[in-house]
Amino acid sequence: MVIGTEPLYVGKIHTDSDEGEGNIKYTITGEGAGTIFIIDELTGDIHATERLDREEKASYTLRARARDRLSNDLLESESEFVIKVQDINDSEPKFLEGPYIGSVAELSPIGTSVMKVTASDADDPTYGSSAKVVYSVMDGEKIFTVDRNEGIIMTAVADLDRETQDRYELVVKATDMAGQMGGLSGSTTVTIVITDVNDNPPRFPQKMYQFSVSEGAAVGTPVGRIIATDADMGENTDMSYFIKEEGDLFKVTTDVETQEAIVSIKKPLDFESKRTHNVVVEAVNKHVDPRFVDLGSFRDQTIVRVSVSDIDEPPIFQPADGAIMEVQEDTKVGALVGVISARDPDVKNKPVRFSIDRTTDQEMIFHIDPNSGAITLGKILDRETAGWHNITVRAVETENHTMASHSAVSIRILDVNDNPPELATPYEASICEDAKPGQLIHTISVVDKDEPQSGHRFYFTLAPEASSSRHFTLWDVKDNTAGIRTQRSGFNRHEQNVYFLPILVVDSGPPSLSSTGTLTIHVCGCDPEGAIQSCNATAYSMSAALSPGALIALLVCILILIVLVLLILTLKRHRKGQRMAEDEEDMRDNVIKYNDEGGGEQDTQAYDMSALRNLYDFPEAKSCDSGPDIRSLPQWIQANRVGGGAEGAATAAAAAADFSLFKGYIRKKVEQADADLSVPPYDSFQTYAFEGTSSPALSLSSIHTMSTTSEQDFSYLSDWGPRFRQLAGYYAPANPEEEGS
C-alpha cells in the first residue's frame, strides 16, 4: 500500500457503551501502535502515519481497549484485530541466479533446449497479476528463442558452427503483469557456448612432402614428420596414420603428444635398386560421429617422397645368409671344396678379395683363393674326429679395406667306410657246468665309427680258427646283434675253466671292413637254481668290484683317519711335555719321601754322614795345582778321585762341573722366588724313618721349633688354607694336660 503525506484512514473501533458523550477513551497496543498506527481517543478512528510495504511486512496484529475516561476502568475486555497490507505492483522481476552460462552442441536441430532462466517477483502472486512474469529475448532472437512462460532458451537455427562462432551472448527480459502495459520488467545476460562435434575431417596442408635419407641408415631411423590438421578440438582431433603404398620398406607411427606422423625405415634401403620411393600416408579420425557420416569421408591422404642417397657399401655375399658345402672325408689335399661369391653393391662395382678368418680355422684345414673365392682342402679330413667345420670368410674391397663383410660357411664332412666294426666292449660271459645244449649264454653287439647314409648292417660269424668249435655256436639275429649258444652239455671247470671264442664281424661297406673280437667264457659252479657261486678262485657273486672312484674315496678316508690319529698322539705328547717342564721348573710343591728303612744309628756303613752334611754346600772351584778339596765332594766322587789315574781325574772334574750347574740353577730359582712377593711360601721336607737323638748328622728339619720353649707364634698357619693344615698342626702349642701326662 502506498500513502501520501497525510495519515491514511485505516478503520474504526467502537463499543456499544459509547453513547457519543465523550466518556469513552480508546487505545491500541501491538505491532506499530503509536508509531505506524495512531488512534483517535474519542472517536476510535485508526490512521497509518507511514508508507507500508507488503513485501517487507504483509500484516500487523493490534489489541484495542475501551476505558472509562473518568475512572480509567475497562468497559469491555481487550479485543485483538489484524491490519492486512493490500498489495500493489511495486516490485519488478529479478533474475537471482544471473548472469547465466549455458552450452549447446554445434549443428543441433531447431528447438534444442539450451538452458532455463528464472525471474522472481516479490509481489503477491494471489492478488491480481502483479507477480505474473513472462520472458522474451531482447538481443539474439534470430539465433535463440525463449519460452514465454517457462523461460527455456532454445535454438532457433540448425546450422550453428563452432568453427565459425563458438559463443553467443543474449539479453533475456522478464516482465510482470503478464506483459501488459504498465508492467515492471528486469533483464539478465545469458552466454551460450557452442561445443564441438566431429564434423570436420583431417586435412594435410600439403599434398606432397619430400625427405632424403642415406641408404646406410639403420632400420627404425626416422625419415621425417608430417601432420594433418583438424578444425575440431579435443578428442575429435585424435587421428591415426597409415601407409597405403611402399609399406614394405617404410612404416608410420603417431606421436600422441603432437599428433604428428613419424615416417621411419622398416627395411634396409638400397640406392642401387631404387633411388626414390613415393609413400602414400593416410590420416583417419579415431572418433567418428555416425550422425555426420553423410558429411563426407573423415580421412585424407598425402604423398611422402623419400630420396635415397648413395654411400660406399661393403661387399655382399651370395647367398647372404651363408653357404653350406659338402666334401668327402677321403678327399685329397688341394681338392676343391666349394666357391664363395661376393660383389660390391655400389655402382662402381669395385673388385673384391677373399680371406678366411683364422680364428675359426686355427688348424688351417681350408684355404681360399683371394680372387676367385674358391675354397680348397689344406689337410686330410676325418669325419669321426669332426663331422662339421664352421669357418668365417671375409670379403673386402681392394681399394678400401674398411669396406669388409663376413659370411659363415658350414662344411659338412661326408662319411666313407674307413673304420671296421668292433665289439662294443671286451665281452666276458659265464656258464654253469651243467649248461644244456642250445642255451643262450650271451648277446653281443658292435660299434662302428662310420655313419653310412643307408644305416648300419653287420654280419657275424665265428672266426675260421673257431668255425669247427664243438662247444659253442653263433646265431646272427639279423638286427646287428648275435647270440652265443652252447653246443653241448656237461662243462667241467676243473678240466678247462676258460674258453676263448673269436668272433668275426663284417659291415655292409662299401668297401666291406671286418674285425675279430674275442669273447671270454668262464665255466663256473652254480647252485641248483642256476645262480653262479664261484669260478675257480674267484667268486662271481662278488663280481661287483669297486669302481676307481670308490677306491679313491676309500683311500682318502683311510688317509684322513691316519692323520687324525697322528695329530691326537702329537697333541698328547705336547701336553705331557708341558706338564713335565712345569714339574721340573717348580720343585716347591714336591714332598720327597724315602720309604727305605736304614739300619739305625749304629749302621754307619749304609750312609756317609759327611756327604749328608756337605751335599748342598759346594765351594767354588779353586784354581790351584792341588785341585779342589776332596772333602767337599760326595763320597762316590772321592772314591773315583782317590782311584787315581787320568780316568779318575776326568770323572771328578765332570762331577764338579755338574754340581756347579745344579748350584747355579738352584740359586737362580731362589732369587726369583725371593723377588716375587705374590708367591706364598712352600716347604719341602724329607722324612726319615729313624732318627736318633744323638745323630751326628744333626736334624735337617725346622720342626724342632715346635717346642714349647719357642717364642714364635705359628697359629696364623691355619689361616693359609687346606694345604698348610698339617703343618699348622705340627706347630700348634701343646696341651698342658698332654704334657703332664
Side-chain angles (χ1 to χ4, degrees), residues 269-286:
L269 303 177
D270 186 13
F271 172 82
E272 290 72 27
S273 300
K274 193 172 183 180
R275 303 183 181 185
T276 303
H277 300 270
N278 293 324
V279 183
V280 178
V281 179
E282 184 178 66
V284 181
N285 273 136
K286 288 184 178 180

Side-chain angles (χ1 to χ4, degrees), residues 481-608:
T481 62
I484 304 298
R485 294 181 175 179
T486 57
Q487 194 172 356
R488 68 179 182 86
S489 61
F491 292 90
N492 190 339
R493 58 175 171 160
H494 298 291
E495 295 179 358
Q496 185 174 351
N497 64 339
V498 177
Y499 292 88
F500 299 100
L501 188 65
I503 300 173
L504 178 65
V505 183
V506 183
D507 60 18
S508 57
S512 296
L513 300 178
S514 63
S515 67
T516 301
T518 302
L519 175 65
T520 303
I521 303 174
H522 298 272
V523 181
C524 304
C526 303
D527 59 10
E529 297 180 356
I532 295 176
Q533 296 297 319
S534 65
C535 301
N536 282 347
T538 304
Y540 275 77
S541 60
M542 297 295 291
S543 60
L546 292 176
S547 63
L551 290 175
I552 293 174
L554 182 61
L555 292 176
V556 170
C557 293
I558 294 174
L559 182 60
I560 292 174
L561 291 176
I562 293 174
V563 171
L564 289 176
V565 171
L566 293 177
L567 181 61
I568 293 173
L569 293 176
T570 303
L571 291 176
K572 286 185 177 181
R573 178 174 295 180
H574 180 67
R575 292 178 180 176
K576 184 176 180 181
Q578 288 182 344
R579 288 196 298 268
M580 293 178 63
E582 292 176 358
D583 294 342
E584 291 176 357
E585 291 180 1
D586 191 359
M587 302 295 294
R588 295 173 291 180
D589 287 343
N590 297 334
V591 177
I592 303 174
K593 297 183 180 181
Y594 300 93
N595 293 325
D596 53 339
E597 182 174 349
E601 295 297 330
Q602 303 301 324
D603 187 5
T604 60
Q605 300 298 324
Y607 298 95
D608 185 0

Side-chain angles (χ1 to χ4, degrees), residues 674-694:
D674 293 341
D676 190 357
L677 301 179
S678 62
V679 178
Y682 292 85
D683 280 359
S684 177
F685 61 91
Q686 299 172 347
T687 303
Y688 297 92
F690 296 98
E691 183 177 350
T693 57
S694 58

Side-chain angles (χ1 to χ4, degrees), residues 336-350:
L336 178 65
V337 177
V339 179
I340 289 294
S341 176
R343 65 175 182 85
D344 182 10
D346 297 322
V347 176
K348 296 181 180 180
N349 193 16
K350 300 175 183 177

